[in-house]
Amino acid sequence: MQIGVDTARAVESKRAFILDLDDVSATALQFMLADELEVHVFPGSAQAQQHPAADRVDVLLLGASVIEAESPMVVERLQQAWPGVPVLAFGPAADAGVQAALAQGARTAIERPFKLETVRRKVNAHIGRRALLDIPVARA
């Protein structure tokens, strides 16, 4: 099912890796992004680096559970493995792991609860897609 998908974006071959131990969060993000991106979900950074599609990744989404399990230094290791690829942390807004990931170099945080528009806007901004102009029309 495609929800508000720009067809030009749907045929691009952009790839996202979601790293999270929480299946609920990972599946929600996968559902929100799968219409516009090729999405792969992993329980940790080691599995992501070993995947055959790891040679071309456009964005990494790093869950609070992985940050806590692997330490905030996981951001630095991901940046070394994929130079120039944006790392976006996600989880509860006040989560210490998310805040530590931002301090270690993650570009932004996607806060739970997730909203489709917010998730897509933040991911698209970091993979170099132009923002879609949305002007509300007031009816009299």
Side-chain angles (χ1 to χ4, degrees):
M1 173 173 40
Q2 293 187 336
I3 302 169
V5 177
D6 180 4
T7 55
R9 291 181 179 182
V11 296
E12 283 181 334
S13 57
K14 299 278 187 179
R15 185 173 293 152
F17 277 11
I18 299 172
L19 288 67
D20 199 13
L21 294 170
D22 179 5
D23 290 338
V24 175
S25 292
T27 303
L29 287 171
Q30 182 180 25
F31 176 76
M32 292 177 180
L33 297 171
D35 289 337
E36 295 183 348
L37 300 168
E38 177 185 331
V39 181
H40 299 272
V41 178
F42 304 97
S45 60
Q47 295 88 344
Q49 290 175 1
Q50 295 171 1
H51 193 273
D55 62 333
R56 195 184 58 77
V57 178
D58 296 294
V59 66
L60 296 162
L61 285 84
L62 181 61
S65 61
V66 172
I67 298 165
E68 292 166 11
E70 297 186 25
S71 90
M73 297 306 294
V74 69
V75 175
E76 187 177 317
R77 289 193 305 270
L78 292 172
Q79 290 173 333
Q80 289 173 353
W82 288 288
V85 174
V87 177
L88 312 180
F90 67 88
D95 187 86
V98 172
Q99 298 307 316
L102 290 169
Q104 291 295 319
R107 293 199 184 170
T108 192
I110 301 173
E111 299 172 357
R112 283 187 8 208
F114 301 129
K115 293 183 181 178
L116 179 69
E117 300 83 10
T118 304
V119 169
R120 285 186 181 172
R121 186 181 69 246
K122 285 191 176 193
V123 170
N124 285 335
H126 288 283
I127 61 173
R129 288 180 172 165
R130 64 176 175 77
L132 296 176
L133 184 60
D134 185 23
I135 301 172
V137 177
R139 300 196 186 252

